[in-house]
Amino acid sequence: MSVWDDLVGQEPVIAQLSAAAGGGGGLAHAWLFTGPPGVGRSTAARAFAAALQCEETPRGCGHCPSCHQVLQGTHADVELIRPAGLSYGAAQARKLVLRASTAPSGGRWQIALFEDAHRATEPAANVLLKAIEEPPPRTLWLLCTPSPDDLLVTIKSRCRVVTLRTPPVRAVADMLVQRVGVAPGAAESAARMAQGDVGQARRLATDPEARGRYEAVMAVPRRLTSVGPAVAAAEAIVKAAEAEAAAQTAELDDGETTALRKALGESEKGRMPRGTAGALKELADRQKSRATRLKRDSLDRTLLDLASYYRDVLTLQLGAGSELVNVDLGPELRTAARNGRPEDTLRRLDAIMACRERLEANVNPLLAVEALTLALRTG
């Protein structure tokens, strides 16, 4: 066992980070973890933090108290920042900088691990820039974002970039077989559909409801026979995304609430001590804000799933020879490829990308997706 066990298909990254943690690869004071959604940016950053704080080996043993605490998110010298809402403001950034500037209480480093750093507003990014420019001697910054271009150029230039690739289908399938106990055929199917998103692959392989939502999205193209069905299909897409987000929200909220109530001294009968209502309300507010973000992220993921359908159609139309994402839909995809033109398929893919941009600009989700399904119907 090691701290790197949950990083699937990222051998070059593991080699780079373990060398740096061991003193053989140079240890920068700021690191930027980039890569597509679901490939393990925050997993890599947390594993790196664990290796840096490990009590047994500089490369991260995975079983000592420090490693366990970092991986569980409870280490006193590793500040884990997860923006609860759609953005992260300057006031929050100032509090973070203040905490990160303190000397480590027990570990080797004071580490600030900022998931979704691209959600920082411009004023917040400027606050972070100053802290990264002049860090205390034992403070390290680990920032996670899909692309280096999502951050200020001045922040990016002061970070050592760690680029995670989309893991191979075989690596994700092997993980599902060996660690989750999924049958090989089902594991490979889920890995293909997830397109490198390890968490999504696990859900598709183990949760029938998640698989059903995916299949409902893949049924959208054949439902676009007229305006009425196209509008109904838009509603189905939004509902599928909301159901996916609700499932993730419930899982996260239940664990957090249970842990906080226990930490605050909940009795065996479920009664809370006086003075704890404020902490519980603060958690509830953060969870509500996160739920909004998860809905947006889930809808974006759903649109990428839909794009995989048209990507497969275009692959067949152009005779590219690439492997299909939706192998189970092979006959339907080949029929769609024969009955359409590549330029129409490209326009449909462009419409999906345009819809994602509208959602990022806070357009009403249902209206944006209705415009999309109508565009997909006409090509």
Side-chain angles (χ1 to χ4, degrees):
M1 178 181 178
S2 79
V3 297
W4 313 105
D5 286 349
D6 291 334
L7 210 52
V8 179
Q10 305 292 344
E11 287 74 16
V13 168
I14 293 174
Q16 176 188 4
L17 295 177
S18 59
L27 186 59
H29 70 277
W31 295 73
L32 179 57
F33 294 79
T34 72
V39 299
R41 296 187 304 265
S42 60
T43 300
R46 189 175 298 196
F48 186 40
L52 290 166
Q53 302 287 27
C54 183
E55 300 169 5
E56 302 293 334
T57 168
R59 295 182 185 271
C61 68
H63 55 75
C64 73
S66 285
C67 282
H68 180 74
Q69 290 166 7
V70 174
L71 296 177
Q72 294 298 315
T74 59
H75 196 287
D77 294 327
V78 178
E79 183 71 26
L80 178 61
I81 306 97
R82 288 173 170 161
L86 299 177
S87 62
Y88 190 83
Q92 295 168 299
R94 291 189 189 96
K95 292 179 181 178
L96 168 60
V97 169
L98 184 61
R99 289 196 299 270
S101 65
T102 60
S105 60
R108 299 160 60 195
W109 303 95
Q110 182 69 254
I111 298 174
L113 197 169
F114 195 165
E115 295 184 354
D116 295 332
H118 57 290
R119 297 189 188 278
T121 62
E122 185 173 349
N126 287 325
V127 172
L128 294 174
L129 171 61
K130 184 170 179 58
I132 291 173
E133 283 179 327
E134 303 171 0
R138 296 180 66 188
T139 295
L140 298 179
W141 289 84
L142 311 182
L143 310 179
C144 304
T145 183
S147 168
D149 295 334
D150 293 331
L151 295 182
L152 294 177
V153 173
T154 44
I155 290 181
K156 179 176 66 175
S157 66
R158 286 163 174 78
C159 296
R160 180 165 299 176
V161 178
V162 178
T163 304
L164 284 81
R165 61 175 182 168
T166 299
V169 169
R170 173 50 51 198
V172 178
D174 287 347
M175 180 277 293
L176 293 174
V177 171
Q178 296 167 11
R179 301 187 196 175
V180 188
V182 179
E188 182 169 352
S189 176
R192 287 186 184 282
M193 290 187 293
Q195 302 179 71
D197 188 324
V198 178
Q200 177 74 349
R202 188 187 294 268
R203 287 189 289 272
L204 290 171
T206 60
D207 184 353
E209 292 185 0
R211 183 65 176 254
R213 289 191 290 268
Y214 181 91
E215 291 172 350
V217 172
M218 290 301 104
V220 165
R222 58 178 175 268
R223 294 176 57 186
L224 305 178
T225 55
S226 62
V227 172
V231 173
E235 185 178 6
I237 290 174
V238 174
K239 284 186 175 180
E242 289 178 345
E244 181 74 29
Q248 295 181 45
T249 297
E251 181 179 352
L252 292 170
D253 289 359
D254 289 346
E256 288 178 347
T257 303
T258 299
L260 180 60
R261 292 178 70 91
K262 182 178 180 181
L264 292 175
E266 181 181 21
S267 70
E268 293 182 359
K269 295 183 179 181
R271 295 175 180 172
M272 297 299 299
R274 290 183 179 180
T276 60
L280 290 171
K281 183 181 184 305
E282 182 181 351
L283 175 62
D285 290 342
R286 290 201 307 269
Q287 290 173 339
K288 183 179 179 180
S289 184
R290 180 178 62 197
T292 301
R293 175 171 59 85
L294 285 176
K295 286 182 183 179
R296 183 75 56 82
D297 291 347
S298 181
L299 183 53
D300 188 67
R301 171 75 229 186
T302 299
L303 292 177
L304 289 176
D305 290 340
L306 183 59
S308 74
Y309 181 98
Y310 293 105
R311 174 265 185 199
D312 284 345
V313 171
L314 186 63
T315 294
L316 294 169
Q317 289 173 330
L318 298 179
S322 302
E323 294 184 348
L324 300 181
V325 172
N326 301 285
V327 177
D328 297 345
L329 297 178
E332 177 182 334
L333 293 168
R334 282 187 279 274
T335 298
R338 286 195 301 270
N339 294 339
R341 303 179 302 168
E343 49 267 40
D344 294 332
T345 306
L346 280 170
R347 278 196 291 270
R348 291 184 171 105
L349 285 168
D350 287 341
I352 294 174
M353 297 305 112
C355 183
R356 294 179 67 204
E357 292 176 0
R358 293 189 189 105
L359 292 171
E360 189 67 26
N362 291 323
V363 173
N364 179 279
L366 184 57
L367 293 178
V369 179
E370 283 179 352
L372 168 63
T373 54
L374 291 172
L376 294 177
R377 186 183 74 84
T378 60

